[in-house]
């Protein structure tokens, strides 16, 4: 049973470009969470999605960031017009149920560098 | 807002010693979870302790939870060099039950061989 997959593992973008980060949850999991980790810090929640629905986006910046989890295919976190401050590690996690009562399974992360 | 705050921020011990990390949180919780992160990698779930539990064991790990003090501790016994990693506590956001986890800043553990 493959774990949570994320790609790319490393992504370099110039300021102003778009970044697309992909996440395939574990088989059988329909709940996906995105977190961002700045250097030497803990993870910060960004968004929680179920298939075709955004459930909680309270951690998403109001502009330039969007997320989706279509019926078919991976979840995508999109960052438009990237700035240097977007440089961070972005982690996706999945769980079989959408409550805080269960562990989350994390992917290896995508490390975004904005030059 | 930070749900979990951990101390110490960094801990360095010799192989074979025990390591204790502490986590304090602010609001009432349903459960508290501990994760490990090796350098440059994703997080691995270690243990989940529910609010009605006081202590839980998993191999060399022992977690305690004191809801009256809003604190938890993670004890790693007989540490190994492979335990070198960052350890994070996390708890579900207080006012929602959507699985949104709030993480502490983490404790960086170095185990010297």
């Amino acid at each position: 049973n493959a774990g949570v997959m994320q790609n790319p593992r490393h992504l370099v973008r110039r300021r102003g470009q778009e970044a697309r980060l992909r996440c395939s949850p574990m088989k059988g999991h329909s709940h996906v969470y995105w977190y961002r980790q700045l250097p030497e810090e803990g993870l910060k929640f960004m968004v929680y999605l179920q298939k075709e629905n955004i459930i909680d986006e309270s951690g998403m910046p109001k502009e330039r960031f969007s997320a989706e989890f279509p019926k078919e295919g991976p979840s995508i976190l999109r960052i438009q017009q990237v700035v240097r401050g977007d440089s961070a590690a972005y982690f996706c996690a999945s769980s079989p149920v959408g409550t805080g009562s269960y562990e989350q399974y994390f992917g290896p992360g995508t490390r975004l560098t904005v030059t | 807002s930070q749900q979990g705050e951990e101390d110490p921020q960094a801990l360095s011990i010799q192989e074979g010693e025990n390591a204790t990390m502490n986590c304090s949180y602010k609001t009432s919780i349903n459960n508290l979870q501990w994760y490990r992160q090796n350098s440059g990698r994703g997080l691995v779930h270690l243990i989940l302790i529910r609010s009605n539990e006081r202590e839980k064991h998993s191999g060399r790990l022992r977690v305690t939870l004191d809801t009256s003090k809003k604190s938890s501790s993670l004890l790693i016994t007989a540490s190994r060099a492979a335990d070198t990693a960052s350890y994070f506590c996390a708890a579900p956001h207080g006012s929602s039950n959507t699985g949104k986890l709030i993480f502490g800043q983490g404790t960086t553990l170095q185990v010297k061989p």
Side-chain angles (χ1 to χ4, degrees), chain A residues 6 21 35-36 46 65 77 79 86 88-91 109-110 112:
Chain A
Q6 287 189 252
L21 289 62
Y35 295 86
R36 176 165 64 178
M46 298 183 75
F65 285 71
L77 179 68
I79 311 172
D86 296 332
Y90 292 82
F91 291 95
T110 293
L112 172 66

Side-chain angles (χ1 to χ4, degrees), chain A:
Chain A
N1 188 10
V4 178
M5 311 281 283
Q6 287 189 252
N7 68 81
R9 294 290 306 274
H10 299 273
L11 182 61
V12 179
R13 284 287 178 265
R14 291 200 178 109
R15 277 180 297 170
Q17 290 185 319
E18 179 180 285
R20 280 193 180 218
L21 289 62
R22 294 175 183 77
C23 167
S24 296
M26 283 184 71
K27 189 176 181 180
H29 290 190
S30 60
H31 301 265
V32 166
Y33 305 83
W34 285 93
Y35 295 86
R36 176 165 64 178
Q37 184 178 35
L38 295 171
E40 310 302 324
E41 292 191 11
L43 276 69
K44 297 287 195 295
F45 169 82
M46 298 183 75
V47 63
Y48 158 44
L49 309 105
Q50 275 184 274
K51 285 284 187 182
E52 299 185 276
N53 287 305
I54 297 174
I55 307 301
D56 183 342
E57 56 181 349
S58 57
M60 287 278 272
K62 293 286 185 270
E63 297 175 349
R64 302 188 297 107
F65 285 71
S66 63
E68 63 177 12
F69 189 15
K71 188 176 180 181
E72 302 290 337
S75 175
I76 306 238
L77 179 68
R78 183 199 294 180
I79 311 172
Q80 295 178 301
Q81 299 174 342
V82 296
V83 301
R84 289 222 171 101
D86 296 332
S87 294
Y90 292 82
F91 291 95
C92 162
S94 72
S95 71
V97 294
T99 74
S101 302
Y102 293 85
E103 65 189 83
Q104 295 181 8
Y105 297 82
F106 281 79
T110 293
R111 277 149 187 83
L112 172 66
T113 301
V114 179
T115 61

